Amino acid sequence: MLEGKGMTLPKAWKTGTTIAGLIYKDGVVLGADTRSTSGSTVADKNCSKIHYITPNIYACGAGTAADLEHVTDMVSGQLALHRYATGRSARVITAMTMFKQHLFKYQGHVGAALVLGGYDINGPHLFTIYPHGSTDSLPFATMGSGSLNAMAMFEAYYKDDMSRTEAMELVARGIRSGVMNDLGSGSNVDLCVITKDGVEYLRNYEYLQAKTYTRQFPVKYPPGTATVLKQRILSLKDVEVTEGAPEEMDVS
Amino acid sequence: MLPRPTSHSKALGPGVAGPELAVATSAVLDRPPQPGAHLPLTGAAPCAVDPTSLNDPRQHTKYPYVTGTSVLAVKYKDGVLIGCDTLGAYGSTKRYKSTQRLYRVNDKCVVAAGGEISDFQHISTLLDELTTDDYRIDDGIQLTPQQVYSYLCRVMYNRRNKFDPLWNSLVVGGVQPDGSQFLGMVGMIGTHYTDSHVTTGFANQLARPLFRERQSDNMSEEEALNLLYDAMRVCYYRDKVSINKFQVAKVSTAGGVSISEPFALDMRWDYKMFSNPTKWAVGAW
């Protein structure tokens, strides 16, 4: 109603984003930027877009921040119960199926686009999941507003059987490309490397837009910085100090 | 006097005049139009830009029909390189697979275009007229790329002001008389800029990151060609409306303009992990 009179409501926080994933020889590397936007304002300069699903599965998320948080928490909880019920560690396709069934049920209204990666009993896996519920199984994938920028790097430099360092370097390069060339992505690069031996969650792996100067506060000016033009000294020796009457409750 | 309705809104209480009782009388209906936010204060009819509202059979360009996709261009040590594919698409159909989207103005300047091909042909005609004038004057002076760029900026902006744009993204590249390279882009609404590397269309997002990392004004021709090929390859992988048939125009200080024959690039479709992608996700894509 107020919008009819010209008021603009603040837009839902979205992660205009660059997220990427890559399968290399021994596992999966996931990467994300850290900027969360509300319209054209940066809402969170250092948010975390690589969400925990299970100890061996992580998901990067692009789209509406609230939807992503809740849908990843929900699948994470469902999978924890599933692990207890089956007595086995979770598989990535199980997480993928839970996500796609939930998202399809809501016909795209749950604005969550995910890059899901993990290492399970069948090896490393990487899937993309779109808000309407479709999925792709890929060796390298990017999502978000900076996805084309990151994909340009992947298409140009991907090769079979990369080593861990090469894979991390390429994913970081892709996210950097998104951060530098897309306005919806920014700040820092997060990486997450998942192998059969475990997960290495590299929060703020690279600082790309850090402040180059930190201000000293409070500012300390040495005496003599300001020129003294006039000086007047008042003695407070004979000043009388009276205690104020106590504040009474206002009962009028 | 018009009869007044006797019913009224119950929310207002008995016998009270409210919005439903406000009836339009002739005083309201027949008065001249009052100035409003959207109307001029003089009370004149507003300026009509849409010719259909004036019963004029002319129409404004609303959509492009036969289109070219991205154009990529970089400066290198001896000049500039401009590359694009040879597709004239009709919507999503790959209709004309041998269109040349590069136009040689003179031996110092090349113009390339993405967008509506017919509008590009019109621009080529305009540039042809300018070049013919130069030839007839016969004083040895040719149009410089900077002059062609300024001319095209004005043409595009003036058409935009008439709400009848030439639906193109133009790239003007060449070598100035003092030997320095020139590279600029002019958009369909008159937006223009010059830079060491310019891209239009999909290449804005796909090729620009590669150019920003690897391009420099004193790169060798071989490095520049490899960079252009890598970028054109990525554009072909990820742009639906593109084909594997490219042309590259080279404008160099020494050699003038040379537009290559159409060629194809090697593409990698045999990565191991793409061979059976849904092995572990049967039923997915």
Side-chain angles (χ1 to χ4, degrees), chain B residues 66-95:
Chain B
V66 181
T67 54
T69 182
S70 0
V71 177
L72 304 81
V74 291
K75 284 189 191 175
Y76 71 106
K77 194 162 46 91
D78 307 319
V80 300
L81 285 172
I82 309 180
C84 47
D85 68 3
T86 63
L87 178 65
Y90 189 63
S92 292
T93 314
K94 294 173 185 170
R95 181 106 179 242

PDB file of all heavy atoms in Angstrom, chain B residues 66-95:
ATOM      1  N   VAL B  66      17.890 -10.114 -38.001  1.00  0.00           N
ATOM      2  CA  VAL B  66      19.064 -10.930 -38.304  1.00  0.00           C
ATOM      3  C   VAL B  66      20.216 -10.328 -37.526  1.00  0.00           C
ATOM      4  O   VAL B  66      20.591  -9.174 -37.738  1.00  0.00           O
ATOM      5  CB  VAL B  66      19.384 -10.910 -39.814  1.00  0.00           C
ATOM      6  CG1 VAL B  66      20.597 -11.780 -40.084  1.00  0.00           C
ATOM      7  CG2 VAL B  66      18.188 -11.406 -40.599  1.00  0.00           C
ATOM      8  N   THR B  67      20.796 -11.088 -36.625  1.00  0.00           N
ATOM      9  CA  THR B  67      21.769 -10.506 -35.693  1.00  0.00           C
ATOM     10  C   THR B  67      23.114 -11.195 -35.756  1.00  0.00           C
ATOM     11  O   THR B  67      23.231 -12.379 -36.080  1.00  0.00           O
ATOM     12  CB  THR B  67      21.277 -10.631 -34.249  1.00  0.00           C
ATOM     13  OG1 THR B  67      20.976 -12.001 -33.999  1.00  0.00           O
ATOM     14  CG2 THR B  67      20.062  -9.791 -34.003  1.00  0.00           C
ATOM     15  N   GLY B  68      24.132 -10.406 -35.444  1.00  0.00           N
ATOM     16  CA  GLY B  68      25.469 -10.947 -35.214  1.00  0.00           C
ATOM     17  C   GLY B  68      25.730 -10.919 -33.725  1.00  0.00           C
ATOM     18  O   GLY B  68      25.206 -10.080 -33.011  1.00  0.00           O
ATOM     19  N   THR B  69      26.565 -11.814 -33.258  1.00  0.00           N
ATOM     20  CA  THR B  69      26.841 -11.913 -31.827  1.00  0.00           C
ATOM     21  C   THR B  69      28.105 -11.115 -31.475  1.00  0.00           C
ATOM     22  O   THR B  69      28.369 -10.071 -32.059  1.00  0.00           O
ATOM     23  CB  THR B  69      26.891 -13.390 -31.388  1.00  0.00           C
ATOM     24  OG1 THR B  69      27.105 -13.432 -29.989  1.00  0.00           O
ATOM     25  CG2 THR B  69      27.978 -14.146 -32.077  1.00  0.00           C
ATOM     26  N   SER B  70      28.891 -11.619 -30.533  1.00  0.00           N
ATOM     27  CA  SER B  70      29.972 -10.780 -29.974  1.00  0.00           C
ATOM     28  C   SER B  70      31.058 -10.393 -30.963  1.00  0.00           C
ATOM     29  O   SER B  70      31.278 -11.031 -31.984  1.00  0.00           O
ATOM     30  CB  SER B  70      30.644 -11.485 -28.806  1.00  0.00           C
ATOM     31  OG  SER B  70      30.086 -12.722 -28.540  1.00  0.00           O
ATOM     32  N   VAL B  71      31.733  -9.286 -30.619  1.00  0.00           N
ATOM     33  CA  VAL B  71      32.940  -8.858 -31.321  1.00  0.00           C
ATOM     34  C   VAL B  71      34.013  -8.707 -30.255  1.00  0.00           C
ATOM     35  O   VAL B  71      33.750  -8.194 -29.172  1.00  0.00           O
ATOM     36  CB  VAL B  71      32.737  -7.503 -32.028  1.00  0.00           C
ATOM     37  CG1 VAL B  71      34.021  -7.047 -32.689  1.00  0.00           C
ATOM     38  CG2 VAL B  71      31.623  -7.585 -33.036  1.00  0.00           C
ATOM     39  N   LEU B  72      35.236  -9.176 -30.541  1.00  0.00           N
ATOM     40  CA  LEU B  72      36.329  -9.052 -29.582  1.00  0.00           C
ATOM     41  C   LEU B  72      37.467  -8.308 -30.249  1.00  0.00           C
ATOM     42  O   LEU B  72      37.763  -8.561 -31.413  1.00  0.00           O
ATOM     43  CB  LEU B  72      36.873 -10.431 -29.182  1.00  0.00           C
ATOM     44  CG  LEU B  72      35.940 -11.478 -28.601  1.00  0.00           C
ATOM     45  CD1 LEU B  72      35.166 -12.209 -29.657  1.00  0.00           C
ATOM     46  CD2 LEU B  72      36.728 -12.470 -27.808  1.00  0.00           C
ATOM     47  N   ALA B  73      38.121  -7.419 -29.513  1.00  0.00           N
ATOM     48  CA  ALA B  73      39.217  -6.670 -30.122  1.00  0.00           C
ATOM     49  C   ALA B  73      40.264  -6.340 -29.076  1.00  0.00           C
ATOM     50  O   ALA B  73      39.933  -6.038 -27.932  1.00  0.00           O
ATOM     51  CB  ALA B  73      38.686  -5.383 -30.752  1.00  0.00           C
ATOM     52  N   VAL B  74      41.536  -6.417 -29.485  1.00  0.00           N
ATOM     53  CA  VAL B  74      42.643  -6.081 -28.581  1.00  0.00           C
ATOM     54  C   VAL B  74      43.671  -5.239 -29.311  1.00  0.00           C
ATOM     55  O   VAL B  74      43.841  -5.352 -30.529  1.00  0.00           O
ATOM     56  CB  VAL B  74      43.368  -7.327 -28.030  1.00  0.00           C
ATOM     57  CG1 VAL B  74      42.478  -8.094 -27.087  1.00  0.00           C
ATOM     58  CG2 VAL B  74      43.872  -8.217 -29.136  1.00  0.00           C
ATOM     59  N   LYS B  75      44.362  -4.394 -28.533  1.00  0.00           N
ATOM     60  CA  LYS B  75      45.531  -3.697 -29.078  1.00  0.00           C
ATOM     61  C   LYS B  75      46.753  -4.582 -28.849  1.00  0.00           C
ATOM     62  O   LYS B  75      46.826  -5.294 -27.850  1.00  0.00           O
ATOM     63  CB  LYS B  75      45.756  -2.385 -28.308  1.00  0.00           C
ATOM     64  CG  LYS B  75      44.815  -1.278 -28.653  1.00  0.00           C
ATOM     65  CD  LYS B  75      45.295   0.009 -27.977  1.00  0.00           C
ATOM     66  CE  LYS B  75      44.257   1.095 -28.059  1.00  0.00           C
ATOM     67  NZ  LYS B  75      44.640   2.291 -27.314  1.00  0.00           N
ATOM     68  N   TYR B  76      47.691  -4.538 -29.791  1.00  0.00           N
ATOM     69  CA  TYR B  76      48.955  -5.225 -29.548  1.00  0.00           C
ATOM     70  C   TYR B  76      50.063  -4.299 -30.022  1.00  0.00           C
ATOM     71  O   TYR B  76      49.821  -3.154 -30.378  1.00  0.00           O
ATOM     72  CB  TYR B  76      48.978  -6.608 -30.213  1.00  0.00           C
ATOM     73  CG  TYR B  76      49.080  -6.609 -31.713  1.00  0.00           C
ATOM     74  CD1 TYR B  76      50.270  -6.967 -32.340  1.00  0.00           C
ATOM     75  CD2 TYR B  76      48.002  -6.259 -32.508  1.00  0.00           C
ATOM     76  CE1 TYR B  76      50.377  -6.969 -33.707  1.00  0.00           C
ATOM     77  CE2 TYR B  76      48.107  -6.258 -33.874  1.00  0.00           C
ATOM     78  CZ  TYR B  76      49.298  -6.611 -34.479  1.00  0.00           C
ATOM     79  OH  TYR B  76      49.403  -6.592 -35.842  1.00  0.00           O
ATOM     80  N   LYS B  77      51.290  -4.809 -30.070  1.00  0.00           N
ATOM     81  CA  LYS B  77      52.451  -3.939 -30.296  1.00  0.00           C
ATOM     82  C   LYS B  77      52.336  -3.138 -31.581  1.00  0.00           C
ATOM     83  O   LYS B  77      52.594  -1.935 -31.600  1.00  0.00           O
ATOM     84  CB  LYS B  77      53.711  -4.802 -30.312  1.00  0.00           C
ATOM     85  CG  LYS B  77      55.004  -4.039 -30.205  1.00  0.00           C
ATOM     86  CD  LYS B  77      56.158  -4.935 -29.781  1.00  0.00           C
ATOM     87  CE  LYS B  77      56.234  -6.227 -30.517  1.00  0.00           C
ATOM     88  NZ  LYS B  77      56.992  -6.360 -31.703  1.00  0.00           N
ATOM     89  N   ASP B  78      51.957  -3.815 -32.680  1.00  0.00           N
ATOM     90  CA  ASP B  78      51.996  -3.146 -33.977  1.00  0.00           C
ATOM     91  C   ASP B  78      50.647  -2.636 -34.446  1.00  0.00           C
ATOM     92  O   ASP B  78      50.543  -2.181 -35.574  1.00  0.00           O
ATOM     93  CB  ASP B  78      52.505  -4.114 -35.064  1.00  0.00           C
ATOM     94  CG  ASP B  78      53.813  -4.749 -34.684  1.00  0.00           C
ATOM     95  OD1 ASP B  78      54.662  -4.028 -34.148  1.00  0.00           O
ATOM     96  OD2 ASP B  78      53.957  -5.962 -34.906  1.00  0.00           O
ATOM     97  N   GLY B  79      49.589  -2.777 -33.640  1.00  0.00           N
ATOM     98  CA  GLY B  79      48.293  -2.317 -34.140  1.00  0.00           C
ATOM     99  C   GLY B  79      47.148  -2.901 -33.336  1.00  0.00           C
ATOM    100  O   GLY B  79      47.231  -2.995 -32.107  1.00  0.00           O
ATOM    101  N   VAL B  80      46.083  -3.281 -34.026  1.00  0.00           N
ATOM    102  CA  VAL B  80      44.928  -3.874 -33.350  1.00  0.00           C
ATOM    103  C   VAL B  80      44.479  -5.124 -34.084  1.00  0.00           C
ATOM    104  O   VAL B  80      44.692  -5.282 -35.281  1.00  0.00           O
ATOM    105  CB  VAL B  80      43.734  -2.891 -33.258  1.00  0.00           C
ATOM    106  CG1 VAL B  80      44.089  -1.660 -32.495  1.00  0.00           C
ATOM    107  CG2 VAL B  80      43.205  -2.539 -34.606  1.00  0.00           C
ATOM    108  N   LEU B  81      43.849  -6.023 -33.309  1.00  0.00           N
ATOM    109  CA  LEU B  81      43.256  -7.223 -33.878  1.00  0.00           C
ATOM    110  C   LEU B  81      41.786  -7.242 -33.502  1.00  0.00           C
ATOM    111  O   LEU B  81      41.451  -7.018 -32.340  1.00  0.00           O
ATOM    112  CB  LEU B  81      43.901  -8.477 -33.290  1.00  0.00           C
ATOM    113  CG  LEU B  81      45.293  -8.855 -33.753  1.00  0.00           C
ATOM    114  CD1 LEU B  81      45.815  -9.999 -32.912  1.00  0.00           C
ATOM    115  CD2 LEU B  81      45.292  -9.246 -35.210  1.00  0.00           C
ATOM    116  N   ILE B  82      40.916  -7.480 -34.483  1.00  0.00           N
ATOM    117  CA  ILE B  82      39.481  -7.556 -34.201  1.00  0.00           C
ATOM    118  C   ILE B  82      38.982  -8.901 -34.699  1.00  0.00           C
ATOM    119  O   ILE B  82      39.240  -9.280 -35.845  1.00  0.00           O
ATOM    120  CB  ILE B  82      38.707  -6.438 -34.933  1.00  0.00           C
ATOM    121  CG1 ILE B  82      39.349  -5.096 -34.645  1.00  0.00           C
ATOM    122  CG2 ILE B  82      37.246  -6.435 -34.498  1.00  0.00           C
ATOM    123  CD1 ILE B  82      38.650  -3.939 -35.319  1.00  0.00           C
ATOM    124  N   GLY B  83      38.270  -9.630 -33.845  1.00  0.00           N
ATOM    125  CA  GLY B  83      37.796 -10.957 -34.245  1.00  0.00           C
ATOM    126  C   GLY B  83      36.313 -11.110 -34.006  1.00  0.00           C
ATOM    127  O   GLY B  83      35.775 -10.586 -33.036  1.00  0.00           O
ATOM    128  N   CYS B  84      35.637 -11.815 -34.920  1.00  0.00           N
ATOM    129  CA  CYS B  84      34.230 -12.159 -34.680  1.00  0.00           C
ATOM    130  C   CYS B  84      33.880 -13.361 -35.537  1.00  0.00           C
ATOM    131  O   CYS B  84      34.621 -13.719 -36.447  1.00  0.00           O
ATOM    132  CB  CYS B  84      33.313 -10.982 -34.973  1.00  0.00           C
ATOM    133  SG  CYS B  84      33.617 -10.152 -36.508  1.00  0.00           S
ATOM    134  N   ASP B  85      32.739 -13.978 -35.220  1.00  0.00           N
ATOM    135  CA  ASP B  85      32.365 -15.143 -36.028  1.00  0.00           C
ATOM    136  C   ASP B  85      31.550 -14.654 -37.234  1.00  0.00           C
ATOM    137  O   ASP B  85      31.276 -13.474 -37.387  1.00  0.00           O
ATOM    138  CB  ASP B  85      31.616 -16.178 -35.184  1.00  0.00           C
ATOM    139  CG  ASP B  85      30.247 -15.700 -34.741  1.00  0.00           C
ATOM    140  OD1 ASP B  85      29.828 -14.580 -35.128  1.00  0.00           O
ATOM    141  OD2 ASP B  85      29.586 -16.435 -33.992  1.00  0.00           O
ATOM    142  N   THR B  86      31.187 -15.592 -38.100  1.00  0.00           N
ATOM    143  CA  THR B  86      30.575 -15.193 -39.367  1.00  0.00           C
ATOM    144  C   THR B  86      29.111 -15.596 -39.420  1.00  0.00           C
ATOM    145  O   THR B  86      28.600 -15.954 -40.475  1.00  0.00           O
ATOM    146  CB  THR B  86      31.314 -15.842 -40.557  1.00  0.00           C
ATOM    147  OG1 THR B  86      31.169 -17.260 -40.433  1.00  0.00           O
ATOM    148  CG2 THR B  86      32.758 -15.467 -40.558  1.00  0.00           C
ATOM    149  N   LEU B  87      28.434 -15.521 -38.279  1.00  0.00           N
ATOM    150  CA  LEU B  87      27.046 -15.968 -38.232  1.00  0.00           C
ATOM    151  C   LEU B  87      26.081 -14.799 -38.275  1.00  0.00           C
ATOM    152  O   LEU B  87      26.237 -13.829 -37.538  1.00  0.00           O
ATOM    153  CB  LEU B  87      26.799 -16.757 -36.943  1.00  0.00           C
ATOM    154  CG  LEU B  87      25.381 -17.256 -36.727  1.00  0.00           C
ATOM    155  CD1 LEU B  87      24.994 -18.265 -37.773  1.00  0.00           C
ATOM    156  CD2 LEU B  87      25.235 -17.853 -35.344  1.00  0.00           C
ATOM    157  N   GLY B  88      25.062 -14.891 -39.146  1.00  0.00           N
ATOM    158  CA  GLY B  88      23.925 -13.979 -39.106  1.00  0.00           C
ATOM    159  C   GLY B  88      22.736 -14.803 -38.664  1.00  0.00           C
ATOM    160  O   GLY B  88      22.166 -15.563 -39.444  1.00  0.00           O
ATOM    161  N   ALA B  89      22.365 -14.675 -37.399  1.00  0.00           N
ATOM    162  CA  ALA B  89      21.324 -15.534 -36.842  1.00  0.00           C
ATOM    163  C   ALA B  89      19.964 -14.895 -36.999  1.00  0.00           C
ATOM    164  O   ALA B  89      19.830 -13.678 -36.892  1.00  0.00           O
ATOM    165  CB  ALA B  89      21.606 -15.781 -35.373  1.00  0.00           C
ATOM    166  N   TYR B  90      18.967 -15.699 -37.224  1.00  0.00           N
ATOM    167  CA  TYR B  90      17.576 -15.217 -37.314  1.00  0.00           C
ATOM    168  C   TYR B  90      16.875 -15.764 -36.083  1.00  0.00           C
ATOM    169  O   TYR B  90      16.348 -16.859 -36.089  1.00  0.00           O
ATOM    170  CB  TYR B  90      16.971 -15.751 -38.611  1.00  0.00           C
ATOM    171  CG  TYR B  90      15.613 -15.185 -38.973  1.00  0.00           C
ATOM    172  CD1 TYR B  90      15.458 -13.827 -39.231  1.00  0.00           C
ATOM    173  CD2 TYR B  90      14.501 -16.005 -39.077  1.00  0.00           C
ATOM    174  CE1 TYR B  90      14.226 -13.306 -39.576  1.00  0.00           C
ATOM    175  CE2 TYR B  90      13.265 -15.495 -39.422  1.00  0.00           C
ATOM    176  CZ  TYR B  90      13.127 -14.149 -39.682  1.00  0.00           C
ATOM    177  OH  TYR B  90      11.911 -13.634 -40.022  1.00  0.00           O
ATOM    178  N   GLY B  91      16.910 -15.016 -35.009  1.00  0.00           N
ATOM    179  CA  GLY B  91      16.430 -15.544 -33.739  1.00  0.00           C
ATOM    180  C   GLY B  91      17.405 -16.586 -33.239  1.00  0.00           C
ATOM    181  O   GLY B  91      18.580 -16.303 -33.041  1.00  0.00           O
ATOM    182  N   SER B  92      16.933 -17.806 -33.067  1.00  0.00           N
ATOM    183  CA  SER B  92      17.839 -18.873 -32.651  1.00  0.00           C
ATOM    184  C   SER B  92      18.314 -19.725 -33.812  1.00  0.00           C
ATOM    185  O   SER B  92      19.112 -20.635 -33.616  1.00  0.00           O
ATOM    186  CB  SER B  92      17.131 -19.797 -31.652  1.00  0.00           C
ATOM    187  OG  SER B  92      16.899 -19.128 -30.463  1.00  0.00           O
ATOM    188  N   THR B  93      17.830 -19.427 -35.026  1.00  0.00           N
ATOM    189  CA  THR B  93      18.248 -20.221 -36.185  1.00  0.00           C
ATOM    190  C   THR B  93      19.585 -19.708 -36.687  1.00  0.00           C
ATOM    191  O   THR B  93      19.781 -18.502 -36.817  1.00  0.00           O
ATOM    192  CB  THR B  93      17.230 -20.047 -37.328  1.00  0.00           C
ATOM    193  OG1 THR B  93      15.932 -20.170 -36.791  1.00  0.00           O
ATOM    194  CG2 THR B  93      17.437 -21.059 -38.417  1.00  0.00           C
ATOM    195  N   LYS B  94      20.480 -20.612 -37.044  1.00  0.00           N
ATOM    196  CA  LYS B  94      21.759 -20.194 -37.620  1.00  0.00           C
ATOM    197  C   LYS B  94      21.544 -20.045 -39.120  1.00  0.00           C
ATOM    198  O   LYS B  94      21.813 -20.949 -39.896  1.00  0.00           O
ATOM    199  CB  LYS B  94      22.821 -21.232 -37.304  1.00  0.00           C
ATOM    200  CG  LYS B  94      23.095 -21.286 -35.827  1.00  0.00           C
ATOM    201  CD  LYS B  94      24.019 -22.408 -35.441  1.00  0.00           C
ATOM    202  CE  LYS B  94      24.160 -22.476 -33.938  1.00  0.00           C
ATOM    203  NZ  LYS B  94      24.862 -23.686 -33.507  1.00  0.00           N
ATOM    204  N   ARG B  95      21.036 -18.872 -39.497  1.00  0.00           N
ATOM    205  CA  ARG B  95      20.525 -18.730 -40.861  1.00  0.00           C
ATOM    206  C   ARG B  95      21.610 -18.462 -41.890  1.00  0.00           C
ATOM    207  O   ARG B  95      21.688 -19.111 -42.907  1.00  0.00           O
ATOM    208  CB  ARG B  95      19.493 -17.595 -40.865  1.00  0.00           C
ATOM    209  CG  ARG B  95      18.855 -17.336 -42.175  1.00  0.00           C
ATOM    210  CD  ARG B  95      17.431 -17.833 -42.221  1.00  0.00           C
ATOM    211  NE  ARG B  95      16.826 -17.544 -43.515  1.00  0.00           N
ATOM    212  CZ  ARG B  95      15.779 -16.766 -43.709  1.00  0.00           C
ATOM    213  NH1 ARG B  95      15.203 -16.182 -42.673  1.00  0.00           N
ATOM    214  NH2 ARG B  95      15.306 -16.555 -44.911  1.00  0.00           N
TER     215      ARG B  95
END
